[in-house]
Amino acid sequence: MTSRSDPREMKPPDYDQSTLLLPFADAPSIVQAHQKDKQTEAILSVKLERFFRSLKGQLFTNACTEEISIVAKLMYFGLTTLAGSKTLGEEYVDLVYVSRTGKELVKRYKKLLFVLSYALGPLVVSRILRRWGSGSDDSDSKDKTYSYRRILDIFLNVHLVLFYFSGSYYDVIKRILGMRYAIGHKVNPNEAKFRTSNSNTYKFLGHILLLKVASEKLPATLQYLKKLLVSEGTDSANDMKVCGGNGVDASHYYIKGIPDESRLSHIDLSDKSQLPFIPEVSRTCILCLNLMVDPSCTPCGHLFCWNCIVSWCKERAECPLCRQKSHPQQVLSIR
Amino acid sequence: MSRIVKEYKKIKKVLEGHGEAFENLIVQLAPVNEYDLLSWKATIRGPSDTPYNGFSIGLTIKIPSDYPISPPMVKFEPYKMPHCNVNFQTGEICLDILTRQHWSPAWDLLHVLKAIEQLLQEPVPESPLNVDIANILKEGDRTAYTGLVRYYFCGGT
């Protein structure tokens, strides 16, 4: 981090001679650098948290973990990338930032943009998504947020696949800003061979990831788009159906009141095959003195019929046997 | 409602000799009428070591329609009961487990009678319904207590 490497020295002064340009970095070394940076960042974050804890107390650090990690990121990349030196990870595998074409160095303002968006980006995105989610509480907008998140998810996955294939940009932000990595030294043929074979492994990974993303997202997305088109074609009358969408019909996830008595299936302990782990002596409900129907359990563990114990707990919220607190909503039916 | 039917069967079984625990206590515990299990009559023996020893004491029990969610209503009837926690005029019993706040549906009529036996053995003069007897007990005048109880049982009002 401290050794200030000036890439200009390594860069050939004559841009026309393409053979003298630094070669673009390969995917494995980028990943390695990234991992190393993450690790350092985490260490820094922990140290910073400890610092704030001794300064402002546990409560503060607990409430501001997100902010502290942002400060850690800003510090780390501000002192390295922004100041013009390499991060520990970049130094580890010897990488230098170059422009999209690889012929220029990356400008300072781009680095600043990168540091800011890298540190604040995730927070901003999640805040925006949350605001869209809570902005209006009708299910339609919630569904939209969900789909935005899905789109974002798909986008990130596609980005990762691209990285595995081309090995160019590991961060989305770097792709947008055009900050590529180049190897900071001359590569001899032996090393080049080693690096290509490593990159090929990553391409293989890319194939697998592509297959996974496609199989996961494609059917659901297609169905979603189809439904979206259908709803636009018809009227907003069947809006409800659309927001139930996302591939599956969610209508049966909603509880629509108490089901009809005839549709309930009761567990009757007079049938010995039901819940055979309950011993003979414990199968009688102390409240109705019958063999239990729908045995249910209070927080203290005593068993009663569902109807018996719930009607009692409505009267007084305690276990009839041990008087421990037991609200009706705490009674659990045993299945 | 099937609960009281079950209880009736159980009580019958207990009183027929399977439950020794109640032999010294219960003379009779049965519904007034076989077809109406909401109204019961009980006779208990006065516990030994108390002034009630040797006397039979009558009780009436009314089962509320939401029994066992609500406690049974028990009174000393038809005879007057001289006891510091019993209203001499109405026969009402001051016993916490018979109140809505303390009743538990896990208890049955046998438990209730057992609790009443205990009340006879250990009167609580601190929360009296019969102030005269409570005062005697507070004074610790055992002889007066025994004499008064006997007076009522053997020909008082």
Side-chain angles (χ1 to χ4, degrees):
Chain A
M1 208 186 330
T2 45
S3 75
R4 204 187 150 91
S5 71
D6 195 344
R8 243 163 297 198
E9 279 170 18
M10 286 174 263
K11 269 214 84 90
D14 189 358
Y15 292 125
D16 296 332
Q17 285 177 293
S18 59
T19 46
L20 288 177
L21 283 178
L22 289 171
F24 283 127
D26 50 337
S29 49
I30 293 175
V31 170
Q32 223 170 353
H34 190 81
Q35 278 174 348
K36 194 88 180 164
D37 282 339
K38 274 265 172 241
Q39 208 181 341
T40 324
E41 207 184 287
I43 292 168
L44 196 65
S45 188
V46 167
K47 292 219 157 133
L48 213 60
E49 209 177 298
R50 214 169 287 160
F51 169 72
F52 277 117
R53 196 182 304 149
S54 59
L55 203 69
K56 304 205 64 161
Q58 181 76 48
L59 201 67
F60 175 81
T61 46
N62 278 0
C64 307
T65 32
E66 223 174 12
E67 283 81 357
I68 287 173
S69 85
I70 287 172
V71 170
K73 278 176 187 171
L74 281 176
M75 265 173 74
Y76 183 53
F77 285 98
L79 290 173
T80 55
T81 306
L82 197 60
S85 48
K86 292 177 181 177
T87 64
L88 283 182
E90 285 157 17
E91 208 171 76
Y92 187 58
V93 285
D94 195 12
L95 297 180
V96 197
Y97 277 122
V98 290
S99 69
R100 232 178 262 277
T101 52
K103 288 179 181 166
E104 288 165 57
L105 288 173
V106 171
K107 294 197 178 65
R108 181 65 68 87
Y109 81 90
K110 279 192 175 175
K111 284 183 177 172
L112 178 69
L113 275 178
F114 161 70
V115 172
L116 287 179
S117 53
Y118 177 79
L120 300 171
L123 183 76
V124 171
V125 168
S126 75
R127 284 275 157 88
I128 288 173
L129 283 180
R130 207 177 304 155
R131 183 175 301 171
W132 276 342
S134 63
S136 55
D137 41 13
D138 59 308
S139 55
D140 199 40
S141 80
K142 222 177 227 169
D143 187 58
K144 261 190 195 140
T145 340
Y146 181 60
S147 69
Y148 284 136
R149 198 161 288 179
R150 281 160 51 85
I151 289 167
L152 194 71
D153 198 34
I154 292 170
F155 173 68
L156 287 177
N157 271 315
V158 168
H159 173 82
L160 198 60
V161 170
L162 275 179
F163 168 75
Y164 280 150
F165 280 123
S166 67
S168 44
Y169 304 98
Y170 190 60
D171 272 296
V172 182
I173 306 156
K174 287 184 188 168
R175 182 182 293 276
I176 294 166
L177 293 172
M179 291 165 73
R180 270 197 89 160
Y181 274 127
I183 297 163
H185 57 264
K186 280 237 163 207
V187 176
N188 61 32
N190 231 350
E191 195 186 334
K193 209 168 129 195
F194 174 70
R195 281 182 190 264
T196 18
S197 80
N198 268 352
S199 305
N200 285 338
T201 326
Y202 267 64
K203 274 180 193 144
F204 178 64
L205 261 180
H207 282 293
I208 293 174
L209 191 68
L210 188 65
L211 212 65
K212 177 175 164 276
V213 172
S215 64
E216 259 178 12
K217 305 285 178 189
L218 222 53
T221 313
L222 281 180
Q223 212 157 346
Y224 180 71
L225 285 176
K226 207 188 281 171
K227 281 199 169 170
L228 217 62
L229 288 175
V230 165
S231 82
E232 271 166 12
T234 60
D235 219 4
S236 58
N238 48 11
D239 251 2
M240 270 307 287
K241 262 189 190 161
V242 181
C243 60
N246 296 326
V248 277
D249 178 21
S251 60
H252 58 269
Y253 291 131
Y254 300 122
I255 295 171
K256 290 173 183 153
I258 302 164
D260 197 52
E261 176 68 26
S262 62
R263 284 178 58 207
L264 292 173
S265 61
H266 292 288
I267 293 181
D268 193 340
L269 287 197
S270 57
D271 179 359
K272 284 204 170 143
S273 64
Q274 296 271 28
L275 307 181
F277 53 87
I278 301 179
E280 195 60 45
V281 285
S282 307
R283 293 173 86 88
T284 313
C285 169
I286 188 94
L287 298 187
C288 65
L289 303 176
N290 288 320
L291 287 161
M292 285 179 214
V293 177
D294 296 329
S296 306
C297 164
T298 51
C300 48
H302 289 116
L303 290 179
F304 310 91
C305 296
W306 172 263
N307 283 334
C308 296
I309 188 61
V310 167
S311 60
W312 169 250
C313 285
K314 278 186 204 154
E315 175 81 17
R316 189 131 47 83
E318 62 180 37
C319 171
L321 284 171
C322 65
R323 293 194 182 270
Q324 198 167 311
K325 269 265 166 286
S326 164
H327 293 284
Q329 64 267 31
Q330 291 175 302
V331 176
L332 294 177
S333 173
I334 293 176
R335 299 264 134 180
Chain B
M1 199 70 293
S2 73
R3 147 94 182 221
I4 192 68
V5 179
K6 289 255 169 191
E7 227 176 280
Y8 182 33
K9 281 183 189 156
K10 184 188 162 194
I11 287 166
K12 263 197 198 162
K13 217 179 191 177
V14 167
L15 294 185
E16 269 162 25
H18 298 288
E20 293 80 11
F22 293 98
E23 213 158 83
N24 297 327
L25 172 65
I26 300 170
V27 182
Q28 182 213 8
L29 174 60
V32 179
N33 176 337
E34 281 263 320
Y35 304 104
D36 175 20
L37 294 181
L38 295 185
S39 184
W40 288 60
K41 241 165 72 173
T43 312
I44 57 171
R45 283 181 235 280
S48 50
D49 311 329
T50 67
Y52 309 98
N53 187 18
F55 300 113
S56 290
I57 305 160
L59 291 151
T60 59
I61 302 167
K62 291 259 184 287
I63 306 292
S65 57
D66 58 347
Y67 180 81
I69 299 296
S70 294
M73 288 167 276
V74 189
K75 276 182 177 181
F76 281 103
E77 263 177 351
Y79 305 107
K80 304 277 190 219
M81 179 64 183
H83 185 279
C84 72
N85 302 110
V86 178
N87 187 315
F88 190 70
Q89 295 306 322
T90 62
E92 180 200 338
I93 306 170
C94 175
L95 186 56
D96 61 349
I97 70 152
L98 293 179
T99 62
R100 270 185 174 272
Q101 290 79 42
H102 294 95
W103 166 254
S104 161
W107 293 325
D108 59 17
L109 294 182
L110 293 172
H111 289 103
V112 169
L113 291 189
K114 200 82 194 156
I116 288 172
E117 180 192 29
Q118 210 157 51
L119 189 70
L120 296 186
Q121 286 163 337
E122 291 158 27
V124 188
E126 287 75 27
S127 58
L129 280 178
N130 187 329
V131 184
D132 298 328
I133 293 180
N135 282 337
I136 291 170
L137 279 171
K138 274 185 186 164
E139 291 299 320
D141 194 344
R142 208 66 202 171
T143 323
Y145 180 38
T146 312
L148 192 63
V149 169
R150 294 223 163 148
Y151 166 74
Y152 282 122
F153 271 100
C154 310
T157 38

